[in-house]
Amino acid sequence: MTSLAGKSVLLIVGGGIAAYKVHELVRLLKTRGAGVRIILTKAAEQFVTPLSLASLSGERVYTSLFSLTDEVEMGHIQLSRAADLLVVAPATADLMAKMANGLADDLASTALLATDKPVLIAPAMNVRMWRHPATQRNVDILRRDGINIVGPNDGEMACGEFGPGRMAEPGEIVSSIIAMLTPRAQPLVGKKVVITAGPTREPIDPVRYISNHSSGKQGYALARAAMELGAETILISGPVSLPIPPGVQMMPVETAREMLETCESEMPADIAIFTAAVADWRVAVDSPEKLKKAGGAPPSLTLTENPDILATISRSANRPQIVVGFAAETEHVTEHAAQKLKSKGCDLIIANDVSKETGVFGGDRNTVHLVSATGVEDWPSMSKDEVAGKLMERLAHMLAPQHKVPK
Ligand code: C5P
């Protein structure tokens, strides 16, 4: 168990039904030895009591900005700076809107504006509130401001609706806290990692195209993880609506041919990971003008095969030391992946089941199987960020020069 002894967390609890989970969060943090100070928003007091959290944390719980005793004992500025990390859980739509806009009208928002420490938020709200353009705009702003976000997860909500909006589980929040508080080795410093992500878009005419549902989330998470391990990270991405991870060099492309050309121009590299859902076919000759209905039979499209980027790079003279492919399958997942490993000439295939009921496409979680020449390794269900972190560490290890065994 990773210790958090000597670390102190300022936990800001927002007013949402998920607030009940902070009891477990505080307990887990205390078990690891962290000091936990807690601020409750006014709304949070409707869901949890200062008394229960004070008993769990062993510290007094702060509730109001204008409490004179609080200001005398510890001002809000000091409160937010004495911590090593600020955690907002649950981060409600309202609290996120305040953070994104720099509002400071209560103790929670004031501490968040006054801090100079890293901040982690665990959003929780109704799925429609999460998907609302205003919330998504705020999420983008917060990411750009360097705020770390864990979750929200997909699932059934307290309001009976289904979708993204459930707060990350306390264990997941603790993993993110550990990742933020324990300085990580950077084994990929001086190494170049090239990652393809997202769908490709193959034109039919100037307004229509063939594409797929790839969200790009797994590829973007890998780029973030590669950056965190110190790699020079090139993300060659088809059209998606995700923020570019800080420090990553993003090269936007549309078609499979552009993606291949850009990959080739980025070689040599040490590691190449192909997560993109490349369209297998394109229209042989796309129309320079918009195809018209103009009565008669619908036009028939002649398709032609796209280049296989993974196979091409795997077999090129400039082949990176490690080449990783992804295999999105809906049946016989690992068998198909094992065949793909051979046919594409890569070192590792990350196989996952993308049949509709798994919710992998567009979702935040993934259950993967690592298929290599030595066998299959099944990983449990994890967030795409966790898959990315674990996989990049594995690849960094594979890249590390083997220690010579003395004779
Ligand atoms: O053949 P399939 O599409 O299932 O293979 C998946 C793997 O191959 C993924 O890693 C994907 O990024 C890569 N691929 C590619 N170029 C293609 C088709 C797939 O790089 N044209």
Side-chain angles (χ1 to χ4, degrees), residues 318-342:
N318 266 334
R319 186 192 197 276
Q321 194 180 328
I322 301 175
V323 177
V324 182
F326 270 66
E329 302 286 351
T330 52
E331 52 177 6
H332 306 300
V333 178
T334 49
E335 291 88 329
H336 286 168
Q339 286 160 12
K340 219 159 268 181
L341 186 75
K342 284 199 193 121

Side-chain angles (χ1 to χ4, degrees), residues 52-85:
S52 60
L53 288 170
S55 332
L56 276 168
S57 67
E59 305 236 14
R60 58 158 304 187
V61 169
Y62 299 81
T63 51
S64 160
L65 177 57
F66 300 107
S67 154
L68 273 180
T69 29
D70 289 357
E71 283 300 317
V72 172
E73 282 170 16
M74 179 175 275
H76 58 273
I77 308 253
Q78 205 193 337
L79 188 59
S80 72
R81 296 199 183 159
D84 296 301
L85 175 72

